[in-house]
Amino acid sequence: MSEVVKIATRESYGNALKELGAEFPNLVVLDADLAAATKTGVFKKAYPDRFFDCGIAECNMMGIAAGLATTGLIPFASSFAMFAAGRAYEQVRNSIGYPHLNVKIGATHAGITVGEDGATHQCNEDLALMRTIPGMVVMCPSDDVEAKAAVRAAIEYEGPVYIRFGRAAVPVINDRPDYKFEMGKGVLLKEGKDVTIVATGICVDSALQAAEMLKADGIDAEVINIHTIKPLDEDIIVKSATKTGKVVTVEEHSVIGGLGSAVCDALCAKHPVPVKKLGMQDVFGESGSASALVEKYHLDGKGVYADIKEFLK
Amino acid sequence: MTNLELQKMANEVRKGILTAVHSAKAGHPGGSLSAADIYTYLYFEEMNIDPKNPNKEDRDRFVLSKGHTAPGLYSTLANRGYFPVEDLKTLRKLGSYLQGHPCIHIPGVDMSSGSLGQGISAAVGMALGAKVQGKGNRVYCLVGDGEAEEGQVWEAAMFAGHRKLDNLCVILDYNGLQIDGKLEEVCSAEPFADKFKAFRFHVIEINAHDFDEIRAAFKEARETKCQPTVIIAHSVKGKGVSFMENNCGWHGKAPNDEEYAIAMADLEKVGEALCQK
């Protein structure tokens, strides 16, 4: 068996910015003293004149990004999810969302896979916060391939976009010749008839692993990758729920307000079925290695499998 | 424009403020009136703008960071020809484009603002964007003295000074009053001049109601290189309306019919006196 390639999506972010910098001369990047961690340093090295370090002042950075956007530039404002979506929430809402400016927010170190830094830096609420802003596109790519595609899609789209990236290296799962990224479209990764697993971000891989384990038990799970939380591809979810009658959502995020809530919103309105929301169950994270945390909070393949088995009992 | 013409126009801007706020039965007359002369000078003399083409590429930009004084901005824009003066009466009403706080979709408004501390960051971004693209336009930003209690104002000042954004001119409307009372009694950010100097700004202090001083200050700002400028404009809150002057009760309250009549009579009197000159 060939070794699985693992890349952190924050690496993909930095690499994509650098690659696309040549194609889009009006692309500029901002950071708040975390360029080495968010990987925007890769862009900075290639295009020093188009990189603006705002210092440790994320709220101001969002406002500066807004001002830059009014001059025709395409700014990517970068920080950890905790500070981009959390600390600067109101700046993102009022200075970027309300005027509907062409600002892209690249938020890295999202979720519990931040690891050892612990709860203060593990943002499990960003998808919920960003979803509430009218007109904001919210994306959460699952691997290197998808992360790079999401950055390009954000540039090609006119308007505010939030993209969530992770710190930990994760398996590349979309490396196939026919892979196509379409903002706002879910991806059917595996067909099944007994239960639908809707996953986002790094949990897509866990969902695929869980589906394999369920197969051994004679349970045929359908797996859908939702890389765009907003606008949500309701059709693919409703269609699948109509077939299976049961839905499980999996996200490295609070079960309040993120993918699970978005899926429930859609199903409540269009095709109510029982839904089990897997994710952070209204708790803060804690220090530990990314893999230990993912295991503890049942976001790895085994944990997702166990929770789905419980749900299907 | 001559100083006399500017004074007459500022008086018209003040009337528009009163009319808008009276019609809305809500809004912020005090800080709109204190900055009326600054607004007038910016839009009738200082800035490169075209009311017939509000979005022209090379225009100077203005961000009203103290966005609650939107009536002052709207009245100035209306008098400058961006939209009918009559529309000021629709301020804050359902269906009107004249929102309670500035909105980027209003003709002549360059940035949505009003959540204090945020406008100045956007103005800094506009100045940076102009610089890096080699555009020659200038960016003006009006900040409130109470607003300067927001930490974001100083984050923005730090960045502007660090980046030597000499195409940025911040005007601090220093009327000394905020909602809860005098700045000195609430939580003053004084000394303003020292703070801005510390953030590498060129600092000019003026009387906000003297057009000679206003004119000289903006000229000096334009000529200042390698650092942003702040004009600390010492003003009178409620300027021009006898019972509103230096009274923080008129920060965010509309005059009733009787008060409106007195206020307009005050301004008519000023207008008549200016016509005698």
Side-chain angles (χ1 to χ4, degrees):
Chain A
M1 200 178 141
S2 65
E3 199 158 310
V4 181
V5 179
K6 284 185 160 192
I7 303 171
T9 52
R10 61 177 164 139
E11 303 271 3
S12 324
Y13 176 50
N15 292 333
L17 289 174
K18 185 192 159 190
E19 283 166 28
L20 294 165
E23 191 178 335
F24 298 93
N26 54 346
L27 171 66
V28 296
V29 176
L30 296 85
D31 208 306
D33 194 40
L34 288 169
T38 64
K39 300 300 169 187
T40 60
V42 177
F43 179 90
K44 177 186 178 179
K45 204 172 162 200
Y47 303 100
D49 296 340
R50 288 154 63 187
F51 177 86
F52 310 113
D53 206 322
C54 297
I56 310 166
E58 297 81 5
C59 298
N60 181 49
M61 175 176 70
M62 292 304 173
I64 288 177
L68 287 169
T70 69
T71 70
L73 296 171
I74 305 175
F76 272 76
S78 322
S79 184
F80 290 180
M82 192 74 250
F83 314 125
R87 176 185 296 240
Y89 170 77
E90 202 230 317
Q91 281 74 13
V92 173
R93 180 196 186 274
N94 277 326
S95 289
I96 296 170
Y98 179 48
H100 199 72
L101 291 171
N102 197 25
V103 174
K104 320 302 172 185
I105 300 162
T108 67
H109 295 66
I112 55 169
T113 51
V114 164
E116 293 80 355
D117 274 355
T120 53
H121 287 56
Q122 294 166 350
C123 189
N124 297 314
E125 305 84 16
D126 56 325
L127 300 177
L129 288 163
M130 292 296 108
R131 261 184 83 216
T132 62
I133 299 173
M136 179 68 76
V137 170
V138 182
M139 294 196 276
C140 179
S142 59
D143 75 344
D144 177 61
V145 174
E146 202 158 85
K148 285 178 171 170
V151 174
R152 172 180 282 280
I155 295 171
E156 290 172 349
Y157 168 82
E158 173 89 22
V161 177
Y162 178 87
I163 317 179
R164 176 189 230 233
F165 304 103
R167 171 175 182 256
V170 292
V172 176
I173 57 173
N174 293 301
D175 188 15
R176 51 181 187 274
D178 63 337
Y179 178 79
K180 193 169 146 259
F181 183 92
E182 203 178 333
M183 200 166 88
K185 286 277 177 229
V187 185
L188 181 60
L189 288 176
K190 178 188 171 301
E191 286 195 56
K193 58 180 173 28
D194 299 328
V195 62
T196 302
I197 311 175
V198 183
T200 193
I202 63 163
C203 294
V204 174
D205 182 50
S206 314
L208 287 168
Q209 287 178 34
E212 277 301 306
M213 292 179 224
L214 289 165
K215 196 157 117 189
D217 295 343
I219 298 166
D220 188 13
E222 182 147 301
V223 179
I224 296 169
N225 169 17
I226 293 291
H227 51 62
T228 310
I229 314 283
K230 186 185 176 186
L232 184 69
D233 186 350
E234 297 188 351
D235 290 347
I236 197 171
I237 293 163
V238 169
K239 193 176 161 200
S240 181
T242 306
K243 179 168 66 171
T244 65
K246 292 177 216 72
V247 174
V248 176
T249 61
V250 198
E251 60 197 308
E252 188 200 5
H253 184 274
S254 170
V255 290
I256 299 170
L259 173 73
S261 294
V263 167
C264 285
D265 288 351
L267 290 174
C268 275
K270 296 188 172 172
H271 188 80
V273 297
V275 177
K276 176 73 182 170
K277 295 191 289 182
L278 306 183
M280 295 300 283
Q281 304 293 332
D282 198 18
V283 291
F284 289 107
E286 61 191 291
S287 289
S289 71
S291 58
L293 287 163
V294 161
E295 191 183 339
K296 170 168 179 177
Y297 290 98
H298 281 211
L299 293 175
D300 60 346
K302 261 194 272 176
V304 171
Y305 163 76
D307 287 349
I308 294 177
K309 284 286 277 185
E310 184 68 27
F311 175 57
L312 296 178
K313 255 187 195 168
Chain B
M1 280 174 104
T2 64
N3 284 3
L4 183 60
E5 287 167 328
L6 287 164
Q7 285 169 340
K8 285 180 185 170
M9 184 49 67
N11 201 53
E12 291 307 307
V13 166
R14 287 193 164 91
K15 284 185 199 166
I17 291 167
L18 267 296
T19 300
V21 174
H22 171 252
S23 173
K25 297 187 170 64
H28 298 79
S32 295
L33 291 166
S34 66
D37 300 306
I38 298 286
Y39 283 126
T40 302
Y41 189 81
L42 282 170
Y43 279 89
F44 285 85
E45 193 69 10
E46 174 69 13
M47 292 202 296
N48 169 27
I49 45 156
D50 180 4
K52 290 192 183 65
N53 183 12
N55 296 322
K56 77 164 180 156
E57 183 64 26
D58 67 342
R59 73 188 186 282
D60 290 337
R61 314 293 171 104
F62 176 74
V63 179
L64 179 57
S65 203
K66 47 174 255 172
H68 54 281
T69 64
L73 176 60
Y74 296 166
S75 180
T76 310
L77 291 172
N79 278 289
R80 189 69 176 83
Y82 282 89
F83 46 81
V85 173
E86 193 59 23
D87 286 4
L88 291 173
K89 289 180 182 163
T90 68
L91 173 70
R92 289 177 168 244
K93 294 200 165 104
L94 187 64
S96 170
Y97 61 97
L98 296 180
Q99 294 294 297
H101 288 80
C103 170
I104 203 166
H105 305 301
I106 299 169
V109 174
D110 289 319
M111 181 62 192
S112 304
S113 61
S115 178
L116 296 180
Q118 295 191 29
I120 183 171
S121 294
V124 169
M126 289 176 185
L128 177 67
K131 274 256 175 225
V132 299
Q133 294 175 91
K135 295 177 179 176
N137 67 290
R138 292 182 60 74
V139 181
Y140 298 87
C141 179
L142 185 63
V143 175
D145 50 1
E147 180 183 11
E149 290 153 20
E150 289 280 6
Q152 191 176 345
V153 168
W154 304 106
E155 290 185 3
M158 171 180 69
F159 185 94
H162 173 74
R163 287 267 169 186
K164 304 184 171 67
L165 298 178
D166 54 15
N167 54 348
L168 175 73
C169 179
V170 172
I171 306 106
L172 185 84
D173 184 13
Y174 193 5
N175 59 41
L177 296 173
Q178 57 189 116
I179 298 178
D180 281 351
K182 292 179 184 166
L183 259 69
E184 281 307 322
E185 290 166 5
V186 177
C187 187
S188 175
E190 272 280 27
F192 289 115
D194 290 350
K195 279 198 183 61
F196 277 105
K197 265 180 208 153
F199 285 114
R200 297 183 254 190
F201 272 63
H202 176 59
V203 180
I204 305 170
E205 300 216 37
I206 61 164
N207 173 350
H209 308 302
D210 180 319
F211 281 110
D212 278 334
E213 292 191 25
I214 295 172
R215 192 185 300 273
F218 280 112
K219 181 169 181 286
E220 189 176 322
R222 250 180 287 122
E223 289 166 355
T224 299
K225 300 297 168 203
C226 295
Q227 63 181 145
T229 293
V230 62
I231 298 173
I232 299 177
H234 294 262
S235 63
V236 174
K237 197 153 184 164
K239 174 74 178 177
V241 176
S242 53
F243 60 91
M244 289 187 180
E245 288 193 359
N246 286 319
N247 183 342
C248 72
W250 289 100
H251 171 89
K253 190 173 81 168
N256 61 27
D257 292 348
E258 197 182 326
E259 289 159 341
Y260 175 61
I262 296 169
M264 290 302 273
D266 279 359
L267 296 172
E268 289 296 345
K269 215 184 291 173
V270 172
E272 280 166 26
L274 289 171
C275 282
Q276 301 301 318
K277 285 191 181 175

